[in-house]
Amino acid sequence: MKLTMHGYKEETIKKYEMSMGDLILTICQGLITARKTDIEIRMVDCFSGGVSRWAGINGLLTHDWPADWRVTVFQASVMHDNKENVDYLKVIFSDDIEML
């Protein structure tokens, strides 16, 4: 079935497989470089739908993460919440990529 004739378009999704330790390090290095260490970090698990909120890199680093936990990262981007008028970092990841 071709969905393009109904106005849908095909997109390619990039995925990056890494350990949770590497993801946390990458997030922290990026935020330190951008001088946004106090920005809220929202970790979104795309399969469970859970959202974890962290108060900057201090909150993220002090959590007891399993460093060798293998995850797949789909996107990390700075977003703006108009309701609360704050910026935050949104990281979309999954730990169960085999289901795709």
Side-chain angles (χ1 to χ4, degrees):
M1 172 193 283
K2 292 191 177 195
L3 297 175
T4 55
M5 65 183 168
H6 298 287
Y8 295 98
K9 63 180 181 177
E10 183 177 330
E11 290 187 15
T12 303
I13 298 174
K14 293 181 182 179
K15 61 181 186 174
Y16 306 92
E17 295 182 21
M18 61 182 69
S19 68
M20 183 56 84
D22 289 339
L23 175 59
I24 300 301
L25 179 64
T26 302
I27 290 170
C28 292
Q29 287 175 336
L31 291 177
I32 289 170
T33 301
R35 298 178 195 259
K36 294 185 179 242
T37 57
D38 293 334
I39 193 170
E40 180 181 358
I41 301 164
R42 298 181 187 178
M43 305 281 283
V44 182
D45 186 336
C46 67
F47 281 113
S48 72
V51 179
S52 302
R53 292 178 170 206
W54 305 100
I57 64 172
N58 289 336
L60 191 67
L61 287 172
T62 56
H63 183 69
D64 190 22
W65 296 100
D68 59 347
W69 178 26
R70 299 300 296 174
V71 295
T72 303
V73 180
F74 295 100
Q75 183 185 38
S77 57
V78 175
M79 306 291 291
H80 183 75
D81 187 342
N82 288 331
K83 186 176 182 181
E84 298 177 14
N85 196 27
V86 294
D87 290 335
Y88 63 92
L89 176 69
K90 176 186 69 174
V91 180
I92 300 175
F93 75 99
S94 166
D95 66 346
D96 193 9
I97 194 62
E98 297 300 322
M99 294 178 64
L100 287 179

